[in-house]
Amino acid sequence: MKRWLPYMAVCIAMLCWSVSGIAIKNALVVLPPFTMIVMRFSLAIMVMLLVGILFRHNATLRLQLLKKKDIPLFLLAGFFQPFLYYLLETFAYDALTSPTIAETLLSTSPLLSPFFAALLLREKVTKNNILGIIISTIGMVLLVLVGSGHFAIGNPWGIVFAFAAVSTAVLYTVVLRRIPQTYSDLTIVFWAQLCSLVLFYLVWGVAEGSAMREFIPLFVDQVVAMESTAITAFLSVVYLGLFASVVAFVLFCYTVRQIGVTQTNAFNNIRPV
């Protein structure tokens, strides 16, 4: 049973992430992109900090301090994902007409994973791995093409943003494999996302900070007044913070460290689109 745990974990992570496209679209109806991202990961950090404090005597769920020599790896992990990935992903969803198209493009990481893993980690990639990835990717694309009656892309830049996001996601998994096994999965996700959140705050302050002084109180008033679009946006951010940013990331991190970059990223093809 234990050897199947990584596969069960990554399936749950993919299920959480598959719903995030709809949640992001719903949140962006009301919230500007950077504001939504900052709210999402601020909530995630608070939840993980609370879990770490409550379970500080649990080896799996406690938060650990970082060794000085390992800090660059955590900074790099946080820079690739969430920071770069979620900036690019949010812009992709905003530019593309359909969340289904965005999810399809963002699920192509299995195509890049074998090459990054072989080049940077010396992971062995077999012919069966490559054949399986190609077949599953073709099947996923055909399923989407057959299932959608039309193919209105929207802004073509959305495609560029999506593929750039995929590249940063694969590099993130490569960095995860470099982080020592002495750190718990929650510790890795917490510190990586904290590094990202600092960068998000800096970008947010430049891009949207001045307008937010008026917008945030208005948004809070709309939520309190139970306005439907505001409530939907609020619940979407809660989902993104709890499930897409904490549960999915911790389970994905666990799987990468157990079975490797190529096999883990191959599960992107099971994300419902």
Side-chain angles (χ1 to χ4, degrees):
M1 178 64 181
K2 189 174 181 180
R3 76 185 182 95
W4 291 103
L5 285 178
Y7 301 99
M8 295 169 62
V10 74
C11 286
I12 295 171
M14 293 304 158
L15 182 62
C16 291
W17 278 331
S18 70
V19 183
S20 67
I22 298 171
I24 289 171
K25 275 290 187 182
N26 288 337
L28 290 176
V29 171
V30 176
L31 298 168
F34 290 114
T35 302
M36 184 270 293
I37 291 173
V38 167
M39 291 174 66
R40 166 186 182 167
F41 286 103
S42 295
L43 175 61
I45 289 295
M46 289 188 287
V47 169
M48 286 187 283
L49 186 60
L50 180 61
V51 170
I53 292 172
L54 292 177
F55 296 93
R56 58 186 176 276
H57 301 301
N58 184 298
T60 303
L61 297 176
R62 68 188 177 95
L63 293 176
Q64 302 159 269
L65 294 176
L66 304 182
K67 294 180 180 179
K68 187 179 295 185
K69 65 183 179 65
D70 297 326
I71 290 176
L73 285 173
F74 284 86
L75 291 172
L76 197 58
F79 177 72
F80 283 134
Q81 190 170 342
F83 180 66
L84 267 185
Y85 178 85
Y86 279 99
L87 284 182
L88 294 167
E89 183 204 55
T90 299
F91 289 139
Y93 278 117
D94 200 32
L96 295 169
T97 304
S98 167
T100 297
I101 296 173
E103 279 291 337
T104 303
L105 295 174
L106 292 166
S107 298
T108 56
S109 59
L111 295 176
L112 298 179
S113 296
F115 306 105
F116 279 98
L119 181 65
L120 301 176
L121 295 173
R122 300 292 189 268
E123 278 190 10
K124 186 177 180 181
V125 182
T126 67
K127 292 180 180 179
N128 288 337
N129 289 147
I130 295 174
L131 182 62
I133 289 167
I134 292 173
I135 291 173
S136 61
T137 301
I138 292 173
M140 177 194 66
V141 173
L142 288 175
L143 182 65
V144 172
L145 288 175
V146 171
S148 59
H150 59 87
F151 215 55
I153 295 292
N155 189 335
W157 274 104
I159 299 174
V160 177
F161 291 138
F163 279 116
V166 168
S167 299
T168 62
V170 175
L171 288 170
Y172 168 75
T173 60
V174 170
V175 176
L176 287 185
R177 290 286 284 175
R178 294 285 191 184
I179 293 176
Q181 291 286 336
T182 51
Y183 294 107
S184 69
D185 301 311
L186 185 67
T187 295
I188 294 173
V189 174
F190 173 80
W191 287 109
Q193 290 194 7
L194 185 61
C195 295
S196 287
L197 188 58
V198 173
L199 295 173
F200 282 136
Y201 268 113
L202 293 174
V203 175
W204 179 60
V206 172
E208 299 168 359
S210 59
M212 286 308 100
R213 286 194 294 269
E214 297 179 4
F215 174 80
I216 291 180
L218 177 62
F219 176 65
V220 172
D221 289 341
Q222 290 174 339
V223 172
V224 172
M226 301 294 287
E227 292 188 15
S228 60
T229 53
I231 290 293
T232 301
F234 173 75
L235 293 176
S236 296
V237 170
V238 171
Y239 173 84
L240 291 168
L242 293 180
F243 293 96
S245 302
V246 178
V247 175
F249 263 88
V250 172
L251 293 177
F252 184 80
C253 177
Y254 165 74
T255 305
V256 169
R257 301 174 84 202
Q258 294 296 317
I259 65 174
V261 171
T262 301
Q263 288 190 63
T264 302
N265 279 316
F267 280 84
N268 274 287
N269 283 339
I270 71 169
R271 288 166 66 167
V273 293

